[in-house]
PDB file of all heavy atoms in Angstrom:
ATOM      1  N   GLY U 138      -5.961  23.932  21.751  1.00 84.00           N
ATOM      2  CA  GLY U 138      -7.270  23.371  22.062  1.00 84.00           C
ATOM      3  C   GLY U 138      -7.771  23.895  23.399  1.00 84.00           C
ATOM      4  O   GLY U 138      -6.989  24.330  24.241  1.00 84.00           O
ATOM      5  N   TRP U 139      -9.052  23.872  23.578  1.00 90.00           N
ATOM      6  CA  TRP U 139      -9.609  24.225  24.865  1.00 90.00           C
ATOM      7  C   TRP U 139     -10.954  23.544  25.047  1.00 90.00           C
ATOM      8  O   TRP U 139     -11.543  23.057  24.090  1.00 90.00           O
ATOM      9  CB  TRP U 139      -9.726  25.751  25.019  1.00 90.00           C
ATOM     10  CG  TRP U 139     -10.562  26.463  23.976  1.00 90.00           C
ATOM     11  CD1 TRP U 139     -10.170  26.780  22.707  1.00 90.00           C
ATOM     12  CD2 TRP U 139     -11.899  26.936  24.123  1.00 90.00           C
ATOM     13  NE1 TRP U 139     -11.173  27.427  22.047  1.00 90.00           N
ATOM     14  CE2 TRP U 139     -12.246  27.547  22.892  1.00 90.00           C
ATOM     15  CE3 TRP U 139     -12.821  26.931  25.162  1.00 90.00           C
ATOM     16  CZ2 TRP U 139     -13.495  28.133  22.672  1.00 90.00           C
ATOM     17  CZ3 TRP U 139     -14.068  27.523  24.945  1.00 90.00           C
ATOM     18  CH2 TRP U 139     -14.397  28.110  23.710  1.00 90.00           C
ATOM     19  N   ALA U 140     -11.387  23.503  26.297  1.00 92.00           N
ATOM     20  CA  ALA U 140     -12.671  22.879  26.597  1.00 92.00           C
ATOM     21  C   ALA U 140     -13.419  23.797  27.546  1.00 92.00           C
ATOM     22  O   ALA U 140     -12.818  24.606  28.260  1.00 92.00           O
ATOM     23  CB  ALA U 140     -12.461  21.516  27.236  1.00 92.00           C
ATOM     24  N   SER U 141     -14.731  23.677  27.528  1.00 94.00           N
ATOM     25  CA  SER U 141     -15.533  24.482  28.428  1.00 94.00           C
ATOM     26  C   SER U 141     -16.563  23.581  29.098  1.00 94.00           C
ATOM     27  O   SER U 141     -17.154  22.711  28.452  1.00 94.00           O
ATOM     28  CB  SER U 141     -16.222  25.587  27.634  1.00 94.00           C
ATOM     29  OG  SER U 141     -17.087  26.299  28.495  1.00 94.00           O
ATOM     30  N   PHE U 142     -16.730  23.766  30.416  1.00 94.00           N
ATOM     31  CA  PHE U 142     -17.741  22.994  31.155  1.00 94.00           C
ATOM     32  C   PHE U 142     -18.804  23.955  31.647  1.00 94.00           C
ATOM     33  O   PHE U 142     -18.479  25.009  32.205  1.00 94.00           O
ATOM     34  CB  PHE U 142     -17.091  22.268  32.329  1.00 94.00           C
ATOM     35  CG  PHE U 142     -16.056  21.271  31.876  1.00 94.00           C
ATOM     36  CD1 PHE U 142     -14.727  21.635  31.748  1.00 94.00           C
ATOM     37  CD2 PHE U 142     -16.432  19.981  31.541  1.00 94.00           C
ATOM     38  CE1 PHE U 142     -13.774  20.738  31.299  1.00 94.00           C
ATOM     39  CE2 PHE U 142     -15.480  19.065  31.087  1.00 94.00           C
ATOM     40  CZ  PHE U 142     -14.155  19.446  30.966  1.00 94.00           C
ATOM     41  N   MET U 143     -20.050  23.608  31.431  1.00 96.00           N
ATOM     42  CA  MET U 143     -21.154  24.489  31.815  1.00 96.00           C
ATOM     43  C   MET U 143     -22.164  23.729  32.645  1.00 96.00           C
ATOM     44  O   MET U 143     -22.523  22.595  32.302  1.00 96.00           O
ATOM     45  CB  MET U 143     -21.862  25.006  30.559  1.00 96.00           C
ATOM     46  CG  MET U 143     -21.029  26.012  29.770  1.00 96.00           C
ATOM     47  SD  MET U 143     -21.501  26.049  28.024  1.00 96.00           S
ATOM     48  CE  MET U 143     -20.437  24.789  27.364  1.00 96.00           C
ATOM     49  N   VAL U 144     -22.635  24.357  33.742  1.00 95.00           N
ATOM     50  CA  VAL U 144     -23.766  23.782  34.477  1.00 95.00           C
ATOM     51  C   VAL U 144     -24.922  24.773  34.360  1.00 95.00           C
ATOM     52  O   VAL U 144     -24.745  25.978  34.547  1.00 95.00           O
ATOM     53  CB  VAL U 144     -23.437  23.503  35.970  1.00 95.00           C
ATOM     54  CG1 VAL U 144     -22.497  22.333  36.095  1.00 95.00           C
ATOM     55  CG2 VAL U 144     -22.852  24.713  36.651  1.00 95.00           C
ATOM     56  N   GLY U 145     -26.082  24.262  34.009  1.00 95.00           N
ATOM     57  CA  GLY U 145     -27.252  25.119  33.834  1.00 95.00           C
ATOM     58  C   GLY U 145     -28.250  24.905  34.966  1.00 95.00           C
ATOM     59  O   GLY U 145     -28.458  23.782  35.434  1.00 95.00           O
ATOM     60  N   THR U 146     -28.841  26.027  35.448  1.00 95.00           N
ATOM     61  CA  THR U 146     -29.822  25.952  36.533  1.00 95.00           C
ATOM     62  C   THR U 146     -31.051  26.778  36.145  1.00 95.00           C
ATOM     63  O   THR U 146     -31.012  27.543  35.172  1.00 95.00           O
ATOM     64  CB  THR U 146     -29.247  26.554  37.833  1.00 95.00           C
ATOM     65  OG1 THR U 146     -28.906  27.922  37.576  1.00 95.00           O
ATOM     66  CG2 THR U 146     -28.016  25.799  38.295  1.00 95.00           C
ATOM     67  N   ALA U 147     -32.107  26.615  36.937  1.00 92.00           N
ATOM     68  CA  ALA U 147     -33.350  27.325  36.638  1.00 92.00           C
ATOM     69  C   ALA U 147     -33.232  28.814  36.975  1.00 92.00           C
ATOM     70  O   ALA U 147     -33.852  29.652  36.343  1.00 92.00           O
ATOM     71  CB  ALA U 147     -34.508  26.697  37.394  1.00 92.00           C
ATOM     72  N   ASP U 148     -32.449  29.140  37.998  1.00 90.00           N
ATOM     73  CA  ASP U 148     -32.290  30.549  38.320  1.00 90.00           C
ATOM     74  C   ASP U 148     -30.888  30.840  38.825  1.00 90.00           C
ATOM     75  O   ASP U 148     -30.151  29.939  39.221  1.00 90.00           O
ATOM     76  CB  ASP U 148     -33.333  30.965  39.376  1.00 90.00           C
ATOM     77  CG  ASP U 148     -33.150  30.145  40.620  1.00 90.00           C
ATOM     78  OD1 ASP U 148     -32.284  30.478  41.437  1.00 90.00           O
ATOM     79  OD2 ASP U 148     -33.863  29.095  40.751  1.00 90.00           O
ATOM     80  N   ARG U 149     -30.564  32.124  38.831  1.00 91.00           N
ATOM     81  CA  ARG U 149     -29.208  32.559  39.117  1.00 91.00           C
ATOM     82  C   ARG U 149     -28.804  32.284  40.578  1.00 91.00           C
ATOM     83  O   ARG U 149     -27.623  32.010  40.858  1.00 91.00           O
ATOM     84  CB  ARG U 149     -29.106  34.055  38.823  1.00 91.00           C
ATOM     85  CG  ARG U 149     -27.673  34.485  38.648  1.00 91.00           C
ATOM     86  CD  ARG U 149     -27.611  35.870  38.028  1.00 91.00           C
ATOM     87  NE  ARG U 149     -26.245  36.228  37.762  1.00 91.00           N
ATOM     88  CZ  ARG U 149     -25.767  36.556  36.567  1.00 91.00           C
ATOM     89  NH1 ARG U 149     -26.565  36.573  35.532  1.00 91.00           N
ATOM     90  NH2 ARG U 149     -24.498  36.865  36.421  1.00 91.00           N
ATOM     91  N   ASP U 150     -29.774  32.320  41.474  1.00 89.00           N
ATOM     92  CA  ASP U 150     -29.462  32.145  42.891  1.00 89.00           C
ATOM     93  C   ASP U 150     -28.901  30.761  43.205  1.00 89.00           C
ATOM     94  O   ASP U 150     -28.150  30.583  44.162  1.00 89.00           O
ATOM     95  CB  ASP U 150     -30.718  32.377  43.751  1.00 89.00           C
ATOM     96  CG  ASP U 150     -31.171  33.829  43.654  1.00 89.00           C
ATOM     97  OD1 ASP U 150     -30.355  34.668  43.187  1.00 89.00           O
ATOM     98  OD2 ASP U 150     -32.320  34.112  44.018  1.00 89.00           O
ATOM     99  N   THR U 151     -29.292  29.800  42.400  1.00 89.00           N
ATOM    100  CA  THR U 151     -28.809  28.433  42.640  1.00 89.00           C
ATOM    101  C   THR U 151     -27.283  28.344  42.466  1.00 89.00           C
ATOM    102  O   THR U 151     -26.629  27.474  43.008  1.00 89.00           O
ATOM    103  CB  THR U 151     -29.506  27.451  41.666  1.00 89.00           C
ATOM    104  OG1 THR U 151     -30.889  27.773  41.634  1.00 89.00           O
ATOM    105  CG2 THR U 151     -29.317  26.017  42.080  1.00 89.00           C
ATOM    106  N   ILE U 152     -26.756  29.250  41.633  1.00 91.00           N
ATOM    107  CA  ILE U 152     -25.312  29.194  41.357  1.00 91.00           C
ATOM    108  C   ILE U 152     -24.574  29.869  42.507  1.00 91.00           C
ATOM    109  O   ILE U 152     -24.266  31.062  42.468  1.00 91.00           O
ATOM    110  CB  ILE U 152     -24.994  29.856  40.007  1.00 91.00           C
ATOM    111  CG1 ILE U 152     -25.833  29.184  38.908  1.00 91.00           C
ATOM    112  CG2 ILE U 152     -23.513  29.744  39.690  1.00 91.00           C
ATOM    113  CD1 ILE U 152     -25.732  29.841  37.564  1.00 91.00           C
ATOM    114  N   ASP U 153     -24.328  29.093  43.557  1.00 91.00           N
ATOM    115  CA  ASP U 153     -23.667  29.667  44.723  1.00 91.00           C
ATOM    116  C   ASP U 153     -22.170  29.394  44.686  1.00 91.00           C
ATOM    117  O   ASP U 153     -21.646  28.797  43.732  1.00 91.00           O
ATOM    118  CB  ASP U 153     -24.311  29.113  46.011  1.00 91.00           C
ATOM    119  CG  ASP U 153     -24.218  27.601  46.063  1.00 91.00           C
ATOM    120  OD1 ASP U 153     -23.584  26.994  45.146  1.00 91.00           O
ATOM    121  OD2 ASP U 153     -24.757  26.993  47.009  1.00 91.00           O
ATOM    122  N   VAL U 154     -21.499  29.825  45.710  1.00 91.00           N
ATOM    123  CA  VAL U 154     -20.047  29.663  45.780  1.00 91.00           C
ATOM    124  C   VAL U 154     -19.647  28.191  45.690  1.00 91.00           C
ATOM    125  O   VAL U 154     -18.688  27.823  45.008  1.00 91.00           O
ATOM    126  CB  VAL U 154     -19.509  30.271  47.103  1.00 91.00           C
ATOM    127  CG1 VAL U 154     -18.004  30.068  47.199  1.00 91.00           C
ATOM    128  CG2 VAL U 154     -19.850  31.736  47.187  1.00 91.00           C
ATOM    129  N   THR U 155     -20.403  27.343  46.383  1.00 91.00           N
ATOM    130  CA  THR U 155     -20.082  25.909  46.381  1.00 91.00           C
ATOM    131  C   THR U 155     -20.106  25.361  44.956  1.00 91.00           C
ATOM    132  O   THR U 155     -19.175  24.685  44.510  1.00 91.00           O
ATOM    133  CB  THR U 155     -21.100  25.140  47.253  1.00 91.00           C
ATOM    134  OG1 THR U 155     -21.171  25.784  48.516  1.00 91.00           O
ATOM    135  CG2 THR U 155     -20.709  23.692  47.399  1.00 91.00           C
ATOM    136  N   LEU U 156     -21.176  25.660  44.245  1.00 92.00           N
ATOM    137  CA  LEU U 156     -21.298  25.144  42.879  1.00 92.00           C
ATOM    138  C   LEU U 156     -20.162  25.675  42.003  1.00 92.00           C
ATOM    139  O   LEU U 156     -19.545  24.935  41.231  1.00 92.00           O
ATOM    140  CB  LEU U 156     -22.662  25.527  42.287  1.00 92.00           C
ATOM    141  CG  LEU U 156     -22.941  24.998  40.867  1.00 92.00           C
ATOM    142  CD1 LEU U 156     -22.838  23.481  40.824  1.00 92.00           C
ATOM    143  CD2 LEU U 156     -24.317  25.446  40.398  1.00 92.00           C
ATOM    144  N   ARG U 157     -19.858  26.957  42.153  1.00 93.00           N
ATOM    145  CA  ARG U 157     -18.797  27.550  41.328  1.00 93.00           C
ATOM    146  C   ARG U 157     -17.439  26.908  41.645  1.00 93.00           C
ATOM    147  O   ARG U 157     -16.663  26.587  40.762  1.00 93.00           O
ATOM    148  CB  ARG U 157     -18.742  29.065  41.548  1.00 93.00           C
ATOM    149  CG  ARG U 157     -19.978  29.783  40.983  1.00 93.00           C
ATOM    150  CD  ARG U 157     -19.662  31.240  40.662  1.00 93.00           C
ATOM    151  NE  ARG U 157     -19.240  31.993  41.834  1.00 93.00           N
ATOM    152  CZ  ARG U 157     -20.085  32.682  42.631  1.00 93.00           C
ATOM    153  NH1 ARG U 157     -21.377  32.694  42.355  1.00 93.00           N
ATOM    154  NH2 ARG U 157     -19.637  33.345  43.668  1.00 93.00           N
ATOM    155  N   THR U 158     -17.171  26.718  42.935  1.00 92.00           N
ATOM    156  CA  THR U 158     -15.907  26.109  43.345  1.00 92.00           C
ATOM    157  C   THR U 158     -15.795  24.692  42.788  1.00 92.00           C
ATOM    158  O   THR U 158     -14.761  24.275  42.250  1.00 92.00           O
ATOM    159  CB  THR U 158     -15.816  26.050  44.870  1.00 92.00           C
ATOM    160  OG1 THR U 158     -16.101  27.337  45.377  1.00 92.00           O
ATOM    161  CG2 THR U 158     -14.432  25.603  45.316  1.00 92.00           C
ATOM    162  N   ARG U 159     -16.900  23.958  42.935  1.00 92.00           N
ATOM    163  CA  ARG U 159     -16.867  22.554  42.501  1.00 92.00           C
ATOM    164  C   ARG U 159     -16.712  22.446  40.976  1.00 92.00           C
ATOM    165  O   ARG U 159     -16.028  21.556  40.476  1.00 92.00           O
ATOM    166  CB  ARG U 159     -18.122  21.831  42.999  1.00 92.00           C
ATOM    167  CG  ARG U 159     -18.057  21.656  44.511  1.00 92.00           C
ATOM    168  CD  ARG U 159     -19.243  20.959  45.098  1.00 92.00           C
ATOM    169  NE  ARG U 159     -19.048  20.809  46.543  1.00 92.00           N
ATOM    170  CZ  ARG U 159     -19.921  20.209  47.350  1.00 92.00           C
ATOM    171  NH1 ARG U 159     -21.040  19.714  46.875  1.00 92.00           N
ATOM    172  NH2 ARG U 159     -19.658  20.111  48.636  1.00 92.00           N
ATOM    173  N   LEU U 160     -17.359  23.352  40.263  1.00 94.00           N
ATOM    174  CA  LEU U 160     -17.210  23.365  38.799  1.00 94.00           C
ATOM    175  C   LEU U 160     -15.742  23.580  38.429  1.00 94.00           C
ATOM    176  O   LEU U 160     -15.182  22.888  37.577  1.00 94.00           O
ATOM    177  CB  LEU U 160     -18.084  24.471  38.188  1.00 94.00           C
ATOM    178  CG  LEU U 160     -17.950  24.675  36.676  1.00 94.00           C
ATOM    179  CD1 LEU U 160     -18.330  23.413  35.906  1.00 94.00           C
ATOM    180  CD2 LEU U 160     -18.809  25.846  36.206  1.00 94.00           C
ATOM    181  N   GLN U 161     -15.127  24.534  39.126  1.00 93.00           N
ATOM    182  CA  GLN U 161     -13.718  24.811  38.828  1.00 93.00           C
ATOM    183  C   GLN U 161     -12.834  23.603  39.179  1.00 93.00           C
ATOM    184  O   GLN U 161     -11.918  23.260  38.431  1.00 93.00           O
ATOM    185  CB  GLN U 161     -13.251  26.039  39.600  1.00 93.00           C
ATOM    186  CG  GLN U 161     -11.802  26.371  39.279  1.00 93.00           C
ATOM    187  CD  GLN U 161     -11.445  27.804  39.642  1.00 93.00           C
ATOM    188  OE1 GLN U 161     -12.322  28.627  39.934  1.00 93.00           O
ATOM    189  NE2 GLN U 161     -10.163  28.097  39.623  1.00 93.00           N
ATOM    190  N   GLN U 162     -13.146  22.948  40.290  1.00 92.00           N
ATOM    191  CA  GLN U 162     -12.346  21.775  40.696  1.00 92.00           C
ATOM    192  C   GLN U 162     -12.387  20.676  39.625  1.00 92.00           C
ATOM    193  O   GLN U 162     -11.346  20.144  39.232  1.00 92.00           O
ATOM    194  CB  GLN U 162     -12.867  21.226  42.031  1.00 92.00           C
ATOM    195  CG  GLN U 162     -12.459  22.077  43.216  1.00 92.00           C
ATOM    196  CD  GLN U 162     -13.119  21.627  44.516  1.00 92.00           C
ATOM    197  OE1 GLN U 162     -14.160  20.957  44.501  1.00 92.00           O
ATOM    198  NE2 GLN U 162     -12.514  21.990  45.637  1.00 92.00           N
ATOM    199  N   VAL U 163     -13.577  20.334  39.162  1.00 91.00           N
ATOM    200  CA  VAL U 163     -13.644  19.237  38.173  1.00 91.00           C
ATOM    201  C   VAL U 163     -13.044  19.672  36.837  1.00 91.00           C
ATOM    202  O   VAL U 163     -12.429  18.882  36.127  1.00 91.00           O
ATOM    203  CB  VAL U 163     -15.068  18.667  37.982  1.00 91.00           C
ATOM    204  CG1 VAL U 163     -15.566  18.005  39.250  1.00 91.00           C
ATOM    205  CG2 VAL U 163     -16.033  19.721  37.509  1.00 91.00           C
ATOM    206  N   ALA U 164     -13.199  20.951  36.493  1.00 91.00           N
ATOM    207  CA  ALA U 164     -12.612  21.442  35.239  1.00 91.00           C
ATOM    208  C   ALA U 164     -11.096  21.300  35.283  1.00 91.00           C
ATOM    209  O   ALA U 164     -10.458  20.938  34.289  1.00 91.00           O
ATOM    210  CB  ALA U 164     -13.018  22.893  34.997  1.00 91.00           C
ATOM    211  N   GLU U 165     -10.533  21.580  36.472  1.00 90.00           N
ATOM    212  CA  GLU U 165      -9.078  21.455  36.607  1.00 90.00           C
ATOM    213  C   GLU U 165      -8.623  19.995  36.490  1.00 90.00           C
ATOM    214  O   GLU U 165      -7.587  19.704  35.885  1.00 90.00           O
ATOM    215  CB  GLU U 165      -8.614  22.077  37.923  1.00 90.00           C
ATOM    216  CG  GLU U 165      -8.527  23.588  37.808  1.00 90.00           C
ATOM    217  CD  GLU U 165      -8.332  24.289  39.144  1.00 90.00           C
ATOM    218  OE1 GLU U 165      -8.382  23.616  40.203  1.00 90.00           O
ATOM    219  OE2 GLU U 165      -8.148  25.506  39.123  1.00 90.00           O
TER     220      GLU U 165
END
Side-chain angles (χ1 to χ4, degrees):
Chain U
W139 58 281
S141 175
F142 298 91
M143 289 155 271
V144 288
T146 59
D148 60 82
R149 199 166 185 122
D150 294 344
T151 316
I152 304 173
D153 58 4
V154 178
T155 309
L156 182 58
R157 291 205 300 269
T158 309
R159 290 180 178 181
L160 175 60
Q161 182 161 348
Q162 285 173 338
V163 295
E165 280 169 354

